[in-house]
C-alpha cells in the first residue's frame, strides 16, 4: 500500500533543457528561428503562381492557333 506513492515520486522528474541535450537543441532552434526567409520564399512563389495564372488567362482569351509556327514565334517574342 505504501509502494505506490514512492514509485510515483520517483517518476515525477521531468528532464529540463540543462539536463537533456536534445531539449536544449530544440529550445535553441525555436529561440533562433527567423521565419522571414521562409516568408520571402513563399511570397516569391505566390507571385510566380499569380503570373502563371495571368498568362494562362491571357492565352485562353486570345484563342491562338497553336499549330501556326508564326503565331508561336510572335508569342515567344512577347514572353
Amino acid at each position: 500500500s505504501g509502494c505506490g506513492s514512492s514509485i510515483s515520486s520517483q517518476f515525477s522528474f521531468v528532464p529540463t533543457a540543462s539536463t537533456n541535450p536534445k531539449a536544449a537543441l530544440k529550445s535553441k532552434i525555436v529561440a533562433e528561428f527567423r521565419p522571414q526567409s521562409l516568408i520571402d520564399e513563399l511570397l516569391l512563389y505566390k507571385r510566380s503562381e499569380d503570373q502563371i495564372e495571368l498568362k494562362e488567362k491571357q492565352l485562353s482569351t486570345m484563342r491562338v492557333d497553336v499549330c501556326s509556327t508564326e503565331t508561336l514565334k510572335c508569342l515567344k517574342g512577347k514572353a
Side-chain angles (χ1 to χ4, degrees), residues 23-35:
L25 180 61
K26 284 181 182 179
S27 294
K28 182 178 185 231
I29 290 170
V30 170
E32 293 177 356
F33 180 65
R34 299 290 177 263

Side-chain angles (χ1 to χ4, degrees), residues 1-12:
S1 36
C3 270
S5 62
S6 67
I7 289 174
S8 64
S9 66
Q10 289 175 351
F11 291 104
S12 64

Side-chain angles (χ1 to χ4, degrees), residues 45-58:
Y45 178 77
K46 176 73 173 112
R47 247 182 254 134
S48 172
E49 287 286 310
D50 291 345
Q51 282 295 317
I52 291 169
E53 190 178 326
L54 175 67
K55 288 182 189 249
E56 284 175 348
K57 283 180 184 175
Q58 288 173 339

